[in-house]
Amino acid sequence: MALLRRAIALSVCFTCPGCAGWQSALDPHGQQARGLEGLIWTFIWVAAAVWISVMAVLVVALSRKSGRGAGNERRMRVTVGGAVAGTAAIVLALTIISFLSTRLVSSEASHPLEIRVRGYQWWWEVTYLDARAERVFTTANEIHIPVNRPVRLQLSAADVIHSFWAPNLAGKQDLIPGRENSLTFSAQQPGTYRAQCAEFCGVQHAHMALLVVAETPDAFEHWRQSQLSPAASPTNPEQAEGRKVFTSKPCASCHTIQGTSASASIGPDLTHLASRSYIAAGLLQNTRGSLAAWIADPQTIKPGNNMPNVPLTANELRAVSAYLAALK
Amino acid sequence: MTTKLSSAPLAVKSLLMCMLLMSSLCGCEREKRQYRTDPPVAAALDEVAPMPNGIAGAPPDAYVAAGEPYKSNAYDLSQGKQLYSEFNCSGCHAEGGGASGPAFLNGWWRYGPQAVSVFVSIRDGRPRGMPAFKSRLTTEQIWQLAGYVQTIGAYSAKTSAPGRNDAMQSRPSENRSPAKSSYASDQWPYSAAQ
Amino acid sequence: MQRSRALDWLITPGIWLIFSAPTGAHDPPSSQEISPTRYSELTQINRDNVSRLKPVVSFRTGTRGAQGGAPLVVGSTLYFLTSFPHILFALDLNRSGAPVRWQFTPEHDPLAAGLACCNRVEHGPVSGAGHINFTTLDGRVIAVDPDTGQVAWNVRVADIHNGETLVSPPTAAGNELLVGNAGDDFGARGWIAALDAHTGRQIWRHYSTGPDQDVGVTGGQDRGSKTWPGESWLHGGGSVAAPILLDPELGLLLHSTGPPAPWNPEPRPGDNAWTSGIFAREPQTGAVRWFAALHPHNSYAWAAGTADISVDRPWNGNNRQLLLHADSDGRIYVLDRASGELLAADALLSKSTVSTPKTDLQVRNICPAWVGAIGGNPALAGPTGLLYVPMSRLCMDIEARNASYLQGTPYIGANVRVHGAPGQPRGAVVAWDLERRVAAWKIDERFPVASDVLATSGGLVFYGTLDGVVKAVDATSGKVLWHWQTNAGISGQPMTFAGPDGRQYIAVIAGLGGPYGVASEYWIDRRDATAVRGLAQSVADLPAPRDPSGTLYVFDIE
């Protein structure tokens, strides 16, 4: 008995950490995610109960001697009838619960914050929309949202089907080329949540992550204002050299840095690159070192992605990483 | 129903299983994708030796040594196709039909059909309006693009093809359109040279 | 009422037609240019004798491409400019067959050949300050001496490495020459500049997008930058590719601005000021008097349109100073020149049918197509009160795509196919009655009409077709009274002048140019439906020209 109790305790210890924290659907921080979590647990408990009862009945049936008497047929009809009725009732109940939960999860809100998310192989382009054109800006791989305000993502894809999944906040929604889907959710407390692509989209599908940062409305406004400003000017000769390298090399023919001559939109917008926590779509921490490593050899770090290996000398690399690391 | 197979000796069964397994494994490797070219090789791919008039010439040794990739590798052709639309080639060349720039579809090449000529055109530009992409694309990207451009105006159908069109289909697919001669009867009957 | 109306008809076209603005130290010989209303008072060639019109000069230039401009006659010399790379010819009208007096070939930058795709191209020449002035495709404005062809000055005003070209003739305004650029399909920012007509030095330049200081707006709210996200106005387009109109009465410059860049509207939410509209500016400083926004957030790449016409005439009972703008969307916009108030916007033929392009989605049958419903400069005839408009009836299927800005490369973001409007011929010439606001008559044409129109006091209207036929029709009824098959398609301005012998002549340059010209060239493959931005297939049945070389024809009554 003591052994059994110990075994139960140990198994609980192993399973519980899977519930909490980073990128977990069982740790909801948003309204939609809570609805989905309830649905998940409901299904788990109901299905577990059904399974246990079915197994119990099976064990009983296997251990009994067969063949009794005249009452068999009636008993069998009752049993089978009862099982079918029970199954139908449970399925119906689960269907209704599922319908209600999904309706809650996909409900639209009035006056949400509109964000256009466009999936590329293998990064996310994020455009904050606004009724005034001058307040529209573009960033990549990171979304900031104010807490307790509905956010509506307008999802589209540039090449293949992707899927947006921020498990702490909401369910999955596909990004389909040629079609606009939408996902509405809200965060209920500040926090940083990892989202990722949930539809196989090519060789680097596994490294296509996104960070969703929920913050207080004031912090969000502050962030939005800083994203609207043009890129930070170089403050020392190394950064100035870095900007020159950036605009004269193939960098400027794929990326935009507002305030410089780089205005291309094949790759992510880098105007405020240093304000993000990760680079390469959630693959590397955003430090100057990993930035330099990424620029020097993206094909080793993320093979097959669309950023080419641009040949740079050591000095050029140092300068460009200094410049980019300063783009707050 | 018992078959002859189930009653065959064990050796025969094992041999047949092995053959089946091996033939199924052969289906895995279609072609090699090279995501990363060694930097010295990438640098060597830039060393074309064009003729003084910029038409044709010797390809880089590294290119020949590698077996002339970029023309027959479906991945490289697909990357070339993606680069073609990303770098605004279709603004002047349409999807091979031409606009202010010449068409590729008809197999008439102002600077000759050789891969070296196309590479040099993209890398260094040409006097009548083709901009230079030397500072905008890496050498491998230029080769991928050149390989794709040649596919549009190929004289004969190729076995490898870039991916299917994501955009509006406006012409026969790349691997189905051997270039027609520019002296075909439905083109205007005068000399292509001005 | 009657008398002032007659004066209206005489003053504006009359002065411009017969006399050039007195500027130089010596009295310049009388200059005969195509008037701003494209209406000529000459009556020698009229309804009764036009059927006897025959060519007396056919000058084959041996050049190929856009022969868009109108010839200019100064004294007894006829000047005209060929396609890029340009040659300016001066023909002696005193001798039979009009032999060449001199010709001038400016140095050119061949890079511009790659930028000349899809604009209407008309470079001049224009007389002003005692010079013969013209613009070149590769961004220069050049002034030469009329007698010798010696260069008086030669300045570069447009940067072709930025995708800017010059495709319309300069406008002479006293001591100034006004020019505007083309290149919104390359993401080049539109501008208008005033040059000193004597030296070529730039006096002022204003842009079509950007902060108020760049645009020339005073006391505004920087709409030219605030109606664009980020700094996208730097590549916002808004070219000034249509001819600039001078209104000497009100002292105003009137010009339209082209569509915003890129064609795909999604990267540029907002009204995209000040593209796709009409500016009225002060000639001395370029300061903006008013702006009429015709298509805020233009989603269909409708081009700037062609030349506007200013006329004083009654409108709803009151005499008003009007500006007539035949716009690419197929409507005739009537504005008050003094205030910019929009008075009417009637569809010339059928209404446009549009749905907004969205990235990666094909939207079909947007009519008119990007090339616009108006094929050339219209003409306004005083006596009939009719506005004669050359039109094209083409529709497009457009698929918006991601657009990425790279300097010197096209900034479009769309795949386009163009075809004729279902069930309709592709071209038309419409006579629009300004009073009754309906079409008085229309002539259907097999091909889009890309030439400009000339109306004369002899009751005639002249225009040319893409397959090379020059036609004279009755101005009141639209009946074709005369036609002549030339060697190549016509995309320029027919003009008329009185020769040194006092006889009236009609001059037109044949040699297809502009977008339809490119669509018919040998280096285009029509199997691609998007070739020449869709136009190649829209005129796939255009017969080959007998001779693609640009040829000047001068017609006279036999």
Side-chain angles (χ1 to χ4, degrees):
Chain A
M1 203 53 199
L3 194 62
L4 183 61
R5 242 183 277 148
R6 211 177 289 163
I8 293 174
L10 263 173
S11 56
V12 165
C13 281
F14 276 123
T15 50
C16 270
C19 301
W22 197 233
Q23 199 174 320
S24 171
L26 300 175
D27 185 13
H29 289 254
Q31 198 188 7
Q32 283 75 11
R34 262 180 237 288
L36 281 174
E37 190 216 14
L39 197 62
I40 291 172
W41 284 121
T42 306
F43 268 74
I44 287 177
W45 291 127
V46 168
V50 167
W51 185 81
I52 288 171
S53 52
V54 166
M55 288 299 114
V57 166
L58 182 64
V59 163
V60 163
L62 286 174
S63 57
R64 246 198 239 205
K65 293 200 199 96
S66 64
R68 272 303 176 88
N72 239 4
E73 272 228 17
R74 218 200 101 235
R75 201 187 276 152
M76 198 153 76
R77 248 183 301 166
V78 164
T79 314
V80 169
V84 168
T87 307
I90 290 173
V91 167
L92 185 66
L94 288 179
T95 306
I96 291 172
I97 294 173
S98 176
F99 167 74
L100 291 172
S101 290
T102 328
R103 194 172 63 164
L104 173 71
V105 162
S106 44
S107 62
E108 298 283 326
S110 59
H111 305 300
L113 174 67
E114 299 265 1
I115 304 176
R116 189 189 300 144
V117 174
R118 196 165 158 79
Y120 291 76
Q121 282 175 321
W122 288 270
W123 59 280
W124 306 86
E125 178 186 74
V126 176
T127 306
Y128 278 73
L129 302 175
D130 193 284
R132 286 161 55 196
E134 41 162 351
R135 285 173 55 82
V136 171
F137 65 92
T138 304
T139 177
N141 301 329
E142 193 165 292
I143 298 178
H144 285 232
I145 58 175
V147 292
N148 290 322
R149 182 173 166 199
V151 172
R152 181 168 173 269
L153 303 184
Q154 297 174 8
L155 304 171
S156 64
D159 34 37
V160 296
I161 300 179
H162 302 272
S163 186
F164 178 87
W165 187 40
N168 294 101
L169 296 173
K172 297 179 188 175
Q173 184 67 276
D174 278 2
L175 284 72
I176 300 171
R179 182 194 164 86
E180 195 173 274
N181 279 340
S182 77
L183 177 68
T184 306
F185 63 91
S186 58
Q188 287 165 331
Q189 60 235 110
T192 305
Y193 312 107
R194 188 179 194 267
Q196 71 174 58
C197 179
E199 182 65 41
F200 180 68
C201 52
V203 62
Q204 288 298 337
H205 158 71
H207 293 143
M208 186 173 162
L210 181 74
L211 209 62
V212 182
V213 178
E215 32 191 29
T216 63
D218 287 334
F220 172 72
E221 268 314 307
H222 181 76
W223 175 84
R224 198 219 283 253
Q225 278 305 115
S226 70
Q227 292 289 314
L228 281 169
S229 55
S233 296
T235 52
N236 60 42
E238 192 182 37
Q239 289 177 14
E241 176 66 28
R243 182 166 71 175
K244 208 157 27 132
V245 170
F246 187 92
T247 50
S248 61
K249 293 272 174 186
C251 323
S253 59
C254 284
H255 294 285
T256 294
I257 296 185
Q258 302 266 9
T260 68
S261 61
S263 315
S265 28
I266 300 169
D269 186 308
L270 302 179
T271 309
H272 298 280
L273 177 64
S275 70
R276 301 181 207 150
S277 312
Y278 291 91
I279 56 170
L283 187 58
L284 299 169
Q285 294 275 353
N286 192 355
T287 63
R288 187 172 163 195
S290 28
L291 201 53
W294 171 249
I295 296 168
D297 200 345
Q299 292 299 323
T300 297
I301 296 176
K302 197 169 172 181
N305 91 89
N306 289 317
M307 174 152 158
N309 278 11
V310 178
L312 293 172
T313 65
N315 285 330
E316 289 170 339
L317 183 63
R318 207 177 300 131
V320 127
S321 56
Y323 174 59
L324 292 173
L327 292 180
K328 283 249 169 279
Chain B
M1 180 171 83
T2 53
T3 64
K4 281 200 186 133
L5 201 56
S6 56
S7 55
L10 184 64
V12 174
K13 276 191 251 187
S14 331
L15 182 63
L16 284 169
M17 278 310 298
C18 278
M19 284 167 63
L20 191 65
L21 199 66
M22 284 183 60
S23 59
S24 62
L25 284 175
C26 288
C28 292
E29 184 139 335
R30 204 172 133 230
E31 59 170 23
K32 275 204 178 316
R33 289 184 176 193
Q34 187 175 49
Y35 294 137
R36 183 183 181 276
T37 315
D38 257 353
V41 176
L45 283 173
D46 196 44
E47 286 157 18
V48 292
M51 302 285 275
N53 61 0
I55 297 177
D61 294 337
Y63 186 70
V64 179
E68 301 208 359
Y70 304 113
K71 274 205 278 196
S72 52
N73 182 297
Y75 170 71
D76 287 317
L77 291 176
S78 288
Q79 290 294 94
K81 184 169 176 143
Q82 197 176 353
L83 291 168
Y84 189 89
S85 72
E86 284 173 348
F87 282 82
N88 302 326
C89 310
S90 29
C92 286
H93 293 285
E95 293 298 320
S100 51
F104 303 132
L105 262 183
N106 58 4
W108 178 76
W109 301 90
R110 190 186 289 275
Y111 301 99
Q114 292 85 359
V116 172
S117 299
V118 180
F119 174 85
V120 169
S121 295
I122 301 173
R123 185 189 67 179
D124 301 333
R126 292 289 184 186
R128 293 169 59 136
M130 173 69 187
F133 284 85
K134 189 192 198 79
S135 64
R136 293 170 157 168
L137 290 169
T138 63
T139 307
E140 300 144 272
Q141 285 180 315
I142 298 179
W143 276 114
Q144 285 173 337
L145 194 47
Y148 172 68
V149 164
Q150 284 195 300
T151 316
I152 301 176
Y155 290 110
S156 58
K158 290 189 156 202
T159 47
S160 46
R164 65 148 178 77
N165 250 9
D166 288 332
M168 176 194 275
Q169 184 77 24
S170 60
R171 56 152 167 78
S173 301
E174 290 86 354
N175 62 328
R176 286 167 183 265
S177 60
K180 268 163 66 170
S181 161
S182 60
Y183 297 93
S185 58
D186 66 353
Q187 303 266 12
W188 291 348
Y190 49 85
S191 166
Q194 194 165 355
Chain C
M1 206 49 156
Q2 281 296 104
R3 181 176 156 275
S4 59
R5 268 188 81 173
L7 273 179
D8 292 336
W9 294 126
L10 278 173
I11 288 177
T12 315
I15 287 182
W16 281 98
L17 182 60
I18 304 298
F19 304 108
S20 61
T23 47
H26 57 282
D27 235 10
S30 65
S31 140
Q32 300 183 66
E33 303 185 349
I34 189 70
S35 88
T37 52
R38 279 158 286 284
Y39 174 72
S40 163
E41 295 280 348
L42 300 172
T43 53
Q44 245 185 37
I45 300 178
N46 52 45
R47 287 185 183 92
D48 303 316
N49 57 22
V50 72
S51 54
R52 298 186 343 247
L53 214 50
K54 287 271 178 350
V56 294
V57 174
S58 74
F59 179 81
R60 186 181 179 279
T61 63
T63 62
R64 188 204 190 102
Q67 318 284 354
L72 162 71
V73 172
V74 177
S76 61
T77 311
L78 183 147
Y79 303 91
F80 77 99
L81 193 69
T82 67
S83 57
F84 180 79
H86 304 286
I87 308 175
L88 177 69
F89 283 104
L91 305 184
D92 189 351
L93 293 171
N94 277 323
R95 296 167 33 211
S96 100
V100 178
R101 270 182 69 196
W102 52 259
Q103 67 186 71
F104 168 61
T105 308
E107 257 184 55
H108 69 276
D109 189 336
L111 186 76
L115 302 175
C117 163
C118 307
N119 287 301
R120 294 205 72 242
V121 187
E122 305 192 337
H123 286 114
V126 156
S127 78
H131 300 136
I132 304 297
N133 310 282
F134 59 96
T135 52
T136 68
L137 186 71
D138 57 343
R140 296 182 164 280
V141 186
I142 304 181
V144 301
D145 182 279
D147 299 313
T148 59
Q150 292 295 323
V151 175
W153 50 261
N154 176 339
V155 293
R156 177 180 285 290
V157 295
D159 180 7
I160 53 175
H161 297 278
N162 206 18
E164 299 173 6
T165 48
L166 298 178
V167 300
S168 56
T171 297
N175 287 317
E176 286 184 352
L177 267 184
L178 287 313
V179 284
N181 73 324
D184 43 63
D185 50 348
F186 281 79
R189 212 170 149 202
W191 50 257
I192 174 175
L195 311 177
D196 183 315
H198 301 279
T199 61
R201 186 185 55 86
Q202 180 176 295
I203 304 173
W204 53 259
R205 178 184 291 222
H206 285 296
Y207 293 87
S208 305
T209 63
D212 285 346
Q213 200 185 8
D214 287 354
V215 179
V217 174
T218 45
Q221 306 125 338
D222 282 338
R223 287 200 71 227
S225 58
K226 294 228 160 51
T227 53
W228 299 80
E231 289 187 339
S232 54
W233 51 265
L234 275 172
H235 322 294
S239 61
V240 185
I244 301 162
L245 181 65
L246 171 71
D247 178 1
E249 205 183 311
L250 291 175
L252 278 182
L253 290 172
L254 298 147
H255 69 93
S256 47
T257 53
W263 291 15
N264 181 352
E266 287 197 356
R268 46 169 176 86
D271 276 351
N272 305 140
W274 306 85
T275 60
S276 285
I278 304 178
F279 268 121
R281 295 181 182 271
E282 310 263 345
Q284 305 310 322
T285 58
V288 174
R289 209 66 93 71
W290 54 257
F291 176 80
L294 298 180
H295 306 289
H297 193 64
N298 187 346
S299 304
Y300 314 105
W302 286 329
T306 51
D308 299 335
I309 293 180
S310 78
V311 64
D312 294 351
R313 59 175 287 131
W315 184 265
N316 281 350
N318 307 319
N319 243 2
R320 289 188 87 154
Q321 299 154 318
L322 301 177
L323 179 71
L324 307 176
H325 171 84
D327 191 76
S328 292
D329 66 353
R331 290 174 187 269
I332 174 79
Y333 286 82
V334 182
L335 299 103
D336 182 309
R337 247 170 28 242
S339 63
E341 181 194 341
L342 182 65
L343 301 172
D346 301 311
L348 283 159
L349 288 174
S350 45
K351 279 197 171 23
S352 52
T353 58
V354 292
S355 346
T356 311
K358 281 191 78 67
T359 309
D360 298 330
L361 276 176
Q362 274 196 50
V363 179
R364 292 178 203 272
N365 288 327
I366 292 182
C367 309
W370 62 268
V371 68
I374 313 294
N377 299 331
L380 177 66
T384 59
L386 295 178
L387 182 74
Y388 304 97
V389 188
M391 297 190 68
S392 67
R393 283 183 280 197
L394 297 172
C395 300
M396 67 178 175
D397 300 338
I398 184 167
E399 179 194 35
R401 302 279 292 161
N402 269 355
S404 180
Y405 177 73
L406 269 184
Q407 192 192 33
T409 66
Y411 185 43
I412 296 177
N415 289 337
V416 194
R417 287 190 293 239
V418 176
H419 49 272
Q424 290 182 6
R426 284 165 286 178
V429 174
V430 173
W432 181 258
D433 188 323
L434 289 169
E435 189 68 50
R436 289 163 42 228
R437 292 166 66 174
V438 287
W441 49 260
K442 110 169 124 73
I443 301 173
D444 283 332
E445 285 286 345
R446 182 178 165 206
F447 297 108
V449 182
S451 81
D452 305 315
V453 178
L454 169 72
T456 71
S457 199
L460 296 168
V461 168
F462 289 86
Y463 69 92
T465 64
L466 274 192
D467 52 350
V469 180
V470 191
K471 294 189 186 178
V473 309
D474 185 304
T476 324
S477 66
K479 176 156 174 273
V480 179
L481 298 174
W482 170 85
H483 68 272
W484 188 268
Q485 174 75 57
T486 63
N487 279 342
I490 297 172
S491 62
Q493 171 76 62
M495 70 90 76
T496 185
F497 62 94
D501 53 0
R503 293 177 68 81
Q504 183 188 5
Y505 295 92
I506 304 285
V508 68
I509 307 176
L512 191 57
Y516 301 107
V518 175
S520 329
E521 282 285 20
Y522 61 86
W523 69 74
I524 300 298
D525 191 319
R526 294 194 201 108
R527 285 178 294 162
D528 177 6
T530 61
V532 198
R533 305 200 183 134
L535 285 183
Q537 278 196 358
S538 70
V539 289
D541 54 340
L542 189 62
R546 292 186 202 172
D547 180 348
S549 157
T551 309
L552 168 77
Y553 290 87
V554 180
F555 298 92
D556 184 17
I557 304 290
E558 196 173 39

